[in-house]
Amino acid sequence: MIKYPTVGVITIKTIRKRILLQIISIHITTAFILTQVLFAFATDLPPQPERPTEEPTEELPQLPPPCRICGRTACGIKHGDITGNGRVEIGDAIEIFKYLAQIDNSITKAGKGSREWRAALITVQSNKINKPTIMDAIEILKYLAKMNSIIYVKYIVSPQQLKEMGWFNVTDEMVADLNRTLKRFDITTTPRIRHFISQCAHESGLGRFMREMASGEAYEGRKDLGNTQPGDGPRFKGAGFIQLTGRWNYQQFANFIGDPKVMRGVDYVAEHYPWLSAGFWWHNNNMNEFVDGGVTVLQVTRRVNGGTNGLADREEMYKRAVKIFR
């Protein structure tokens, strides 16, 4: 048994207990003070606004389904009934033409009740399609377009007119390219068309040749054509239906259409731009304004050829053009 020394009547053990109690008392007091401080701080904070009661969200109206022709929601163009099950009558298919006309000015519509419209109706009935969907109607229109019935190209120069000129290898692609060129360079009046087509007819042998038959050596070193580099003569000999010739003309054409590959030379231009190169030359040499002044074939030939080569044939081509393009 441990004996503690005594100090008067208070033992050391008693002293130790008192010290421990004081320490505990201090901790309790400190904790109480901290609690009071925190409570006072919290009560000084501004009151938080009450959260408003959430109202039920209003249900938004359902948007109409996307247009099955152009893919837009509420496109604003009536292509027939685009709601519900998307069913349309063939008569409503005429609205498709209005849409197509907006995205391609070369496409126009046939009026309801016309021969073309009746052809569409007969086609639908013969295929036993009572209520074609819009997609069905489009497929029908594609088919009839091939038959040249409902959808037809609003030609400036038609395939039939080229054939009457005696043109070789008349294809839909070639005719479309021609008409884009005529429109782009405003070769749209009767005199302009006659002179342009007749000159191209001679230069290309009625469409048989999109590259000059000669070697092009005769153009070598021709500074008036911009041929300053060795090999420029053959490389930049006549290409396209009006025989674009010379480095300078090729470079002008390349800059105009933004295709540097044009400078590869004759084969590239002949393959990719037979009509566009011809239209560009016509435009770049102010031929529309020249023709508008009432010129002769001889005068036009001197501009195109630089001389009078093939004048008799050019005059014959022009005579044909006068009969065809009225």
Side-chain angles (χ1 to χ4, degrees), residues 2-276:
I2 300 175
K3 293 183 178 179
Y4 294 95
T6 62
V7 178
V9 294
I10 302 175
T11 63
I12 293 177
K13 180 177 179 181
T14 302
I15 294 173
R16 292 184 63 183
K17 285 181 179 180
R18 289 180 178 179
I19 292 173
L20 183 60
L21 289 173
Q22 288 179 358
I23 292 173
I24 292 172
S25 177
I26 292 170
H27 280 296
I28 292 172
T29 303
T30 302
F32 177 79
I33 293 172
L34 287 175
T35 302
Q36 293 297 315
V37 170
L38 290 175
F39 178 79
F41 179 80
T43 55
D44 288 337
L45 292 176
Q48 296 295 320
E50 294 183 4
R51 182 174 297 179
T53 305
E54 294 186 0
E55 297 181 359
T57 304
E58 182 181 357
E59 187 176 352
L60 295 175
Q62 293 296 316
L63 293 175
C67 175
R68 294 174 62 188
I69 295 176
C70 65
R72 294 181 294 172
T73 300
C75 63
I77 303 171
K78 182 184 177 185
H79 310 304
D81 177 18
I82 63 172
T83 61
N85 58 13
R87 294 284 176 179
V88 294
E89 300 293 342
I90 188 59
D92 292 329
I94 216 76
E95 299 299 332
I96 296 173
F97 303 157
K98 293 180 181 179
Y99 172 71
L100 294 176
Q102 291 190 24
I103 61 174
D104 187 343
N105 290 329
S106 67
I107 298 176
T108 185
K109 71 180 182 66
K112 186 173 181 179
S114 66
R115 176 181 61 81
E116 292 84 359
W117 187 88
R118 290 196 300 272
L121 183 60
I122 292 171
T123 301
V124 172
Q125 292 173 343
S126 65
N127 284 278
K128 297 181 180 179
I129 305 174
N130 295 322
K131 289 187 176 182
T133 65
I134 290 177
M135 300 311 293
D136 291 335
I138 290 176
E139 291 304 315
I140 292 168
L141 297 179
K142 287 179 181 178
Y143 170 75
L144 291 175
K146 294 178 181 178
M147 305 302 292
N148 200 26
S149 294
I150 277 199
I151 297 179
Y152 57 92
V153 176
K154 192 175 182 179
Y155 294 117
I156 299 171
V157 172
S158 71
Q160 183 59 35
Q161 288 173 320
L162 280 182
K163 291 175 182 177
E164 289 176 14
M165 281 291 298
W167 212 274
F168 290 83
N169 304 317
V170 177
T171 64
D172 292 341
E173 173 84 22
M174 186 270 282
V175 175
D177 188 29
L178 165 61
N179 280 272
R180 285 192 295 267
T181 297
L182 296 176
K183 185 175 180 180
R184 180 169 186 173
F185 297 110
D186 198 24
I187 309 172
T188 53
T189 67
T190 300
R192 294 176 185 182
I193 294 169
R194 288 172 176 173
H195 280 292
F196 179 75
I197 293 295
S198 60
Q199 289 291 330
C200 288
H202 171 78
E203 291 287 343
S204 67
L206 287 165
R208 285 175 293 182
F209 313 114
M210 290 183 288
R211 299 167 181 81
E212 186 174 353
M213 299 300 292
S215 66
E217 291 292 342
Y219 304 127
E220 190 71 7
R222 286 272 303 271
K223 293 184 179 180
D224 59 318
L225 294 173
N227 291 341
T228 59
Q229 304 297 322
D232 277 357
R235 182 180 181 182
F236 300 115
K237 69 178 185 177
F241 287 128
I242 214 168
Q243 303 290 288
L244 186 74
T245 306
R247 174 183 281 275
W248 189 86
N249 282 315
Y250 274 67
Q251 187 64 68
Q252 292 293 307
F253 181 50
N255 295 343
F256 183 82
I257 64 173
D259 184 0
K261 293 179 183 178
V262 164
M263 300 309 292
R264 292 179 180 179
V266 58
D267 290 337
Y268 183 83
V269 173
E271 180 180 353
H272 293 89
Y273 304 115
W275 279 120
L276 193 61

